[in-house]
C-alpha cells in the first residue's frame, strides 16, 4: 500500500500535463533501437582546403549482427578516412577502414599535412602498430614516424600530442612528449617532418603518480604551461609554472565541499585566467561564495578577481560541482589564435556565451535556420568561412551539415540513425517538483504519443550518482515512449552541475 500511495502522490504532480503528447504515432520495430548508431568525425584543414571524414566502412543502415557472441556489429569500430577537396568537392580515399587498415584518429597540421594513428588488428600493448603516430602529406609523401616521442611506462603509453599549430611556421608545432619520463609529459616544439623535439618546459610530476590525477591545464600560445588542476585525494590543487625558474609551485589548495575556483582558460591579451567558482581576496579570504559556479577573470600574479561576469542561478558553469565532481561545460579556445571564443555549459539545454563577434553572428544565423534544434559548430577553417555543424535535440539523434559562408551553400553530410523517424519522437519537457522536505528537483518528462487506456509512467533515474541527466537524444527514453509509457528523469540530490548544496545534500 505504501508504494501505491507514493505512486499516486507522485502522479498528482503532473495534473497540469495532459499525459499524452500530440502528434502522429506508429510503432517502431525493436531492432531499430538495437542498431549501432555511428558517430563520424569531421575535421577541416586550417586553410579550408580539405574536409577529413572519419567513419566506419559499413553502410549507414540498420542491420543486426546475427552472431550473438560478437560484442558489436562487424566493422563499426574500424574507421575509414576520406578527404574531400572543398574546391572541387572530389573525394580522396585514404583508408578503407577494413581490419588492420583502420584509422583511430587524425588531426590537421597544415592544409597539406596531417597526423594520424592507425588502428591495429589486435588490441593491447603487444599488438603490432599499437601506439604508432605518423605525420604525412596528403599525397602520401614524407611520412614520418612521430612515435619516437612516445615512451611506454609501467602504467602504459602516455600519448603525446600537438597542442598548438604555428601559422607562421608550418614546419613545426607545439606539443607534448614523455621521452624524459614515461609518466610526465614535457612541453616541446616538434619538427613535423623529422619528429625531433626541443623541450620548452618540464611537465608536472605528481607527488603520487598512481593516485594523483592531473585534470586540466592551461597552455599559452607559445606552448608553455600556465597552470594545472590536480586531484590529490580530497584536495584540489592549482599549481602554476614559472618560466623564469622553470619550476612548478603550489598556487592554491581547496578541499571537496568547500568554496573554490577552477581555471577554464587564458586571456592571451591580458594574461588573466578565466575561472569559475567563488571569489576570493588576494590574501585568500572568501569574498563571494557561490552555490553555482560563477565566471570571473583572475590575475594569477596579483591574485585579484574581476567583478562577476556571469552566473546561472541553477546550474554550474564548468569546473567542478562542490569542488569534487565534474560539472558540464568549460571554455573553448581557438586552436590557431589561442583566444577564448566561448564558455559552454548545460542547463535543461545546451548553453553558451560567445566572446568572438564573428562566431556570435554565425551561431545567430544557424540558430535562425534551425529554430527548434540545438546547433554546434564541430570544425571550421581558421577564418571560419567553411565549417561543419551538428543539429540535434531530444528528438533528433544528430544531423551534420557543411556550410560555406562565402558561397552561401549548405550541404547535408550525415544523419545519425536515419532509420529512426524524427517525427515519431517525443520531446523532453523540463520541469521541477518538490521533494518531501521542500527541495526543488529538476527533471524531464517525456510523454508518449500512443493512445493508451492507462497512463503508465516509468521513472528512469541516472546512474552515478555524481553525474547529470543528459538533455540530448536518449534511445531508452524514446523506446519506452514509443511503446506507450511516459518517462520521468530526475536530477536527484547528489547530481552534479546543479550547485554545491544540491550535490552535498
Amino acid at each position: 500500500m505504501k508504494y501505491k500511495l507514493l505512486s499516486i502522490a507522485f502522479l498528482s504532480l503532473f495534473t497540469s500535463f495532459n499525459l499524452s503528447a500530440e502528434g502522429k504515432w506508429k510503432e517502431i520495430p525493436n531492432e531499430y533501437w538495437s542498431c549501432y548508431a555511428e558517430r563520424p568525425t569531421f575535421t577541416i584543414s586550417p586553410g579550408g582546403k580539405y574536409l577529413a571524414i572519419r567513419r566506419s566502412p559499413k553502410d549507414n543502415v540498420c542491420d543486426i549482427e546475427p552472431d550473438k557472441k560478437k560484442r558489436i556489429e562487424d566493422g563499426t569500430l574500424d574507421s575509414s578516412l576520406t578527404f574531400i577537396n572543398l574546391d572541387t568537392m572530389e573525394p580522396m580515399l585514404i583508408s578503407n577502414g577494413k581490419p588492420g587498415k583502420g584509422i583511430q584518429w587524425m588531426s590537421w597540421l597544415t592544409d597539406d599535412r596531417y597526423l594520424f594513428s592507425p588502428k591495429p588488428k589486435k588490441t593491447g600493448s603487444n599488438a603490432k602498430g599499437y601506439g604508432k603516430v605518423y605525420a604525412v602529406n596528403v599525397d602520401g609523401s614524407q611520412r614520418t614516424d612521430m612515435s619516437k616521442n612516445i615512451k611506454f611506462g609501467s602504467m602504459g603509453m602516455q600519448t603525446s600530442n600537438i597542442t598548438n599549430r604555428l601559422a607562421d611556421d608550418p614546419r613545426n608545432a607545439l606539443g607534448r612528449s614523455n621521452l624524459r619520463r614515461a609518466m610526465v609529459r614535457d612541453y616541446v616544439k616538434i619538427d613535423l617532418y623529422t619528429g625531433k623535439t626541443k623541450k620548452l618546459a618540464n611537465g608536472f610530476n605528481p607527488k603520487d603518480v598512481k593516485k594523483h590525477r592531473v585534470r586540466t591545464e592551461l597552455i599559452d600560445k607559445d606552448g608553455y604551461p600556465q597552470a594545472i588542476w590536480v586531484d590529490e585525494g580530497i584536495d584540489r590543487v592549482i599549481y602554476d609554472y614559472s618560466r623564469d625558474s622553470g619550476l612548478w609551485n603550489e598556487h592554491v589548495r581547496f578541499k571537496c565541499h568547500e568554496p573554490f575556483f577552477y581555471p577554464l582558460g587564458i586571456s592571451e591579451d591580458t594574461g588573466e585566467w578565466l575561472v569559475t567558482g567563488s571569489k576570493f581576496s588576494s590574501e585568500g579570504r572568501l569574498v563571494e561564495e557561490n552555490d553555482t559556479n560563477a565566471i570571473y577573470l583572475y590575475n594569477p600574479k596579483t591574485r585579484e578577481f574581476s567583478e562577476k561576469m556571469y552566473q546561472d542561478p541553477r546550474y554550474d558553469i564548468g569546473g567542478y560541482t562542490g569542488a569534487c565532481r565534474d560539472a558540464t561545460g568549460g571554455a573553448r579556445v581557438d586552436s590557431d589564435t589561442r583566444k577564448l571564443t566561448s564558455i559552454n555549459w548545460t542547463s535543461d539545454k545546451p548553453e553558451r556565451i560567445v566572446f568572438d563577434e564573428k562566431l556570435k553572428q554565425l551561431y545567430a544565423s544557424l540558430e535562425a535556420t534551425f529554430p527548434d534544434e540545438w546547433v554546434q559548430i564541430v570544425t571550421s577553417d581558421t577564418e571560419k568561412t567553411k565549417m561543419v555543424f551538428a543539429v540535434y535535440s531530444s528528438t533528433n539523434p544528430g544531423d551534420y551539415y557543411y556550410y560555406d559562408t562565402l558561397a552561401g551553400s549548405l550541404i547535408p553530410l550525415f544523419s545519425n540513425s536515419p532509420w529512426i523517424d524524427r517525427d515519431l519522437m517525443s520531446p523532453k519537457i523540463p520541469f521541477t517538483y518538490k521533494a518531501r522536505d521542500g527541495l526543488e528537483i529538476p527533471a524531464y518528462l517525456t510523454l508518449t504519443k500512443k493512445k493508451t487506456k492507462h497512463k503508465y509512467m516509468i521513472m528512469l533515474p541516472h546512474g552515478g550518482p555524481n553525474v547529470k541527466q543528459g538533455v540530448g537524444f536518449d534511445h531508452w527514453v524514446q523506446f519506452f515512449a514509443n511503446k506507450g509509457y511516459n518517462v520521468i528523469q530526475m536530477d536527484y540530490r547528489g547530481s552534479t552541475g546543479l550547485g554545491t548544496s544540491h550535490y552535498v545534500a
Side-chain angles (χ1 to χ4, degrees):
M1 181 62 69
K2 173 184 176 183
Y3 297 105
K4 185 176 180 181
L5 288 173
L6 181 59
S7 299
I8 292 171
F10 201 95
L11 194 59
S12 69
L13 291 168
F14 306 104
T15 54
S16 61
F17 292 108
N18 176 15
L19 290 182
S20 59
E22 297 296 327
K24 66 177 182 178
W25 175 85
K26 182 174 69 175
E27 185 161 10
I28 295 175
N30 285 343
E31 58 265 29
Y32 280 20
W33 304 107
S34 304
C35 286
Y36 183 79
E38 281 198 71
R39 290 293 184 268
T41 60
F42 302 94
T43 315
I44 292 179
S45 60
K49 187 174 181 179
Y50 294 103
L51 166 62
I53 303 175
R54 189 170 63 85
R55 53 162 300 199
S56 85
K58 70 182 288 292
D59 293 331
N60 191 27
V61 296
C62 181
D63 57 346
I64 303 296
E65 170 58 56
D67 186 349
K68 295 181 181 179
K69 291 183 180 180
K70 293 184 178 181
R71 295 184 63 186
I72 202 166
E73 300 165 69
D74 268 340
T76 53
L77 297 182
D78 292 313
S79 294
S80 66
L81 180 63
T82 301
F83 292 161
I84 306 294
N85 185 315
L86 293 177
D87 293 326
T88 64
M89 302 308 288
E90 294 180 356
M92 179 191 308
L93 183 65
I94 304 299
S95 168
N96 61 16
K98 297 293 176 64
K101 297 182 180 180
I103 302 295
Q104 287 200 123
W105 60 264
M106 71 80 59
S107 63
W108 289 104
L109 299 172
T110 67
D111 251 15
D112 297 298
R113 192 166 176 81
Y114 64 99
L115 204 65
F116 80 97
S117 179
K119 190 177 190 305
K121 282 187 177 180
K122 297 180 180 179
T123 59
S125 58
N126 294 324
K128 184 179 180 181
Y130 174 75
K132 286 290 185 180
V133 179
Y134 298 95
V136 62
N137 290 341
V138 169
D139 62 8
S141 64
Q142 293 187 280
R143 179 175 168 127
T144 304
D145 184 356
M146 306 295 284
S147 310
K148 60 187 73 176
N149 300 316
I150 299 173
K151 190 175 183 179
F152 287 80
S154 59
M155 294 179 69
M157 180 187 73
Q158 300 300 293
T159 304
S160 296
N161 65 304
I162 301 297
T163 57
N164 300 20
R165 291 190 293 242
L166 298 172
D168 57 349
D169 184 8
R171 184 177 182 89
N172 295 287
L174 304 173
R176 310 295 299 280
S177 173
N178 70 333
L179 283 180
R180 185 174 60 90
R181 296 187 66 178
M183 297 307 297
V184 177
R185 297 195 304 160
D186 293 331
Y187 301 82
V188 297
K189 188 174 185 178
I190 304 175
D191 188 309
L192 301 175
Y193 290 85
T194 66
K196 292 182 179 180
T197 63
K198 177 183 178 182
K199 189 175 73 171
L200 302 175
N202 285 337
F204 179 79
N205 188 24
K207 294 177 182 177
D208 188 332
V209 74
K210 292 184 177 180
K211 294 182 180 179
H212 296 173
R213 290 289 177 266
V214 175
R215 300 305 299 268
T216 192
E217 60 184 352
L218 301 185
I219 304 174
D220 65 24
K221 59 180 173 46
D222 298 324
Y224 285 85
Q226 289 270 319
I228 57 169
W229 170 281
V230 184
D231 289 1
E232 296 183 359
I234 63 169
D235 285 356
R236 304 291 185 255
V237 191
I238 297 176
Y239 292 90
D240 60 39
Y241 178 79
S242 169
R243 287 179 65 168
D244 294 331
S245 67
L247 299 176
W248 289 92
N249 303 291
E250 182 175 314
H251 188 80
V252 64
R253 181 177 292 263
F254 311 103
K255 288 189 181 297
C256 264
H257 297 181
E258 295 181 357
F260 75 107
F261 65 89
Y262 181 97
L264 293 174
I266 308 171
S267 171
E268 295 288 358
D269 298 329
T270 65
E272 293 172 299
W273 299 349
L274 187 75
V275 300
T276 185
S278 293
K279 182 176 182 176
F280 295 79
S281 70
S282 57
E283 296 80 25
R285 177 175 52 84
L286 181 63
V287 173
E288 198 168 57
E289 183 173 0
N290 298 314
D291 189 64
T292 58
N293 297 342
I295 298 294
Y296 302 89
L297 282 174
Y298 171 74
N299 187 320
K301 294 180 179 179
T302 64
R303 301 182 182 240
E304 294 176 334
F305 284 73
S306 70
E307 293 301 312
K308 185 184 297 183
M309 296 174 65
Y310 187 79
Q311 181 180 20
D312 189 307
R314 182 180 288 277
Y315 296 94
D316 290 316
I317 302 180
Y320 274 28
T321 294
C324 288
R325 298 284 184 170
D326 291 305
T328 60
R332 292 189 183 274
V333 177
D334 187 285
S335 59
D336 294 298
T337 65
R338 304 300 299 170
K339 289 188 176 182
L340 290 165
T341 58
S342 65
I343 53 174
N344 308 266
W345 73 101
T346 305
S347 62
D348 55 29
K349 62 183 184 300
E351 306 273 11
R352 70 172 67 92
I353 297 175
V354 182
F355 302 122
D356 182 277
E357 193 59 38
K358 188 173 184 179
L359 191 61
K360 186 184 297 184
Q361 293 174 7
L362 270 173
Y363 269 119
S365 174
L366 295 174
E367 288 165 353
T369 306
F370 299 91
D372 298 321
E373 307 274 7
W374 302 323
V375 178
Q376 178 63 55
I377 297 173
V378 296
T379 181
S380 72
D381 64 347
T382 303
E383 297 299 320
K384 296 182 177 60
T385 59
K386 299 175 180 178
M387 66 198 66
V388 173
F389 65 91
V391 175
Y392 63 105
S393 69
S394 62
T395 59
N396 181 357
D399 300 318
Y400 294 87
Y401 297 84
Y402 168 67
Y403 181 36
D404 185 327
T405 62
L406 299 180
S409 57
L410 186 65
I411 302 173
L413 288 177
F414 190 88
S415 288
N416 288 327
S417 303
W419 49 88
I420 293 179
D421 187 343
R422 274 68 162 163
D423 291 337
L424 298 178
M425 301 297 99
S426 299
K428 288 184 181 181
I429 304 169
F431 71 99
T432 61
Y433 64 89
K434 284 189 177 180
R436 285 171 295 178
D437 62 355
L439 180 66
E440 251 191 17
I441 307 292
Y444 298 95
L445 175 64
T446 302
L447 299 174
T448 181
K449 292 182 177 181
K450 185 178 181 180
K451 303 298 182 184
T452 60
K453 292 182 179 179
H454 306 284
K455 304 303 182 185
Y456 291 120
M457 186 171 292
I458 289 175
M459 298 177 69
L460 192 63
H462 61 66
N466 310 131
V467 293
K468 182 183 182 300
Q469 287 287 6
V471 301
F473 189 86
D474 189 314
H475 282 76
W476 277 108
V477 170
Q478 297 299 335
F479 166 78
F480 288 130
N482 184 252
K483 296 298 181 186
Y485 299 95
N486 302 293
V487 183
I488 294 175
Q489 299 170 277
M490 66 291 292
D491 274 317
Y492 49 80
R493 63 196 75 207
S495 300
T496 54
L498 289 151
T500 299
S501 59
H502 190 90
Y503 167 69
V504 173

